[in-house]
Amino acid sequence: MLRKASLFIVLFVLSVQVFAQKKDDILGKWLNPSGEGQIEIYKRGDKFFGKLAWIKEPNDEKGKPKTDEKNPTESLRSKPLLGLEILKNFVFDDGKWIDGTIYDPKSGKTYSCKISLKDANQLSIRGFIGVSLIGRTEVFKRVK
């Protein structure tokens, strides 16, 4: 009986370690659900950030790079969307990346945000206003 209990405890501890997230697990490129863009998540110091690394249609109808035209700060509206930092200041805490913000260039709005991994190849990004219950989640897929 004691032997079975010991085996169960060992297997339980090993399974918890397999599913535990390490803070650098989100680094790399991720494709958004519509397939129109990729974000690259990187680290600066102890915080995590993400920029638009690829967009399906980077240029406007005149062939010029699309810009951040909806930005509330007028001086930033001429910045190209490609390379734009949209995820900012995430810290790793207990298997999640929290206390960051996500910027939506389609609306020019910035939201509170948290990130978690569903598995090694699926990234769950939740943008919200105020409390996490009022928001939207999108699942990104890892780019190989």
Side-chain angles (χ1 to χ4, degrees):
M1 181 72 166
L2 183 60
R3 189 174 173 168
K4 281 185 180 178
S6 296
L7 180 62
F8 174 76
I9 291 169
V10 168
L11 290 174
F12 177 76
V13 168
L14 288 175
S15 69
V16 168
Q17 288 177 342
V18 168
F19 293 111
Q21 303 298 327
K22 295 185 287 301
K23 69 176 167 178
D24 290 349
D25 286 352
I26 64 168
L27 298 178
K29 291 186 180 176
W30 300 87
L31 181 68
N32 76 341
S34 68
E36 296 173 5
Q38 290 177 10
I39 55 170
E40 180 177 359
I41 298 180
Y42 51 93
K43 228 169 136 175
R44 196 164 40 214
D46 285 340
K47 294 193 176 186
F48 295 83
F49 297 81
K51 66 181 177 183
L52 287 173
W54 173 84
I55 47 180
K56 191 173 189 176
E57 295 180 20
N59 297 326
D60 63 19
E61 58 281 341
K62 296 176 184 169
K64 295 191 189 287
K66 288 183 180 176
T67 60
D68 189 15
E69 60 188 34
K70 301 271 171 100
N71 196 305
T73 305
E74 195 172 335
S75 63
L76 298 176
R77 292 181 188 157
S78 61
K79 275 189 94 161
L81 285 181
L82 198 59
L84 190 67
E85 196 170 69
I86 61 169
L87 297 173
K88 294 184 180 181
N89 296 315
F90 288 85
V91 293
F92 182 74
D93 183 41
D94 195 28
K96 294 184 183 100
W97 294 262
I98 60 168
D99 296 337
T101 60
I102 185 166
Y103 173 70
D104 177 8
K106 289 181 179 177
S107 68
K109 295 183 178 176
T110 299
Y111 302 95
S112 297
C113 188
K114 66 180 180 179
I115 301 173
S116 60
L117 281 172
K118 293 180 85 158
D119 62 40
N121 295 309
Q122 291 190 13
L123 187 71
S124 178
I125 298 179
R126 181 155 186 83
F128 56 94
I129 299 171
V131 293
S132 179
L133 292 173
I134 304 169
R136 187 176 91 210
T137 301
E138 290 197 346
V139 178
F140 287 61
K141 289 186 170 60
R142 188 180 291 279
V143 176
K144 303 277 183 199

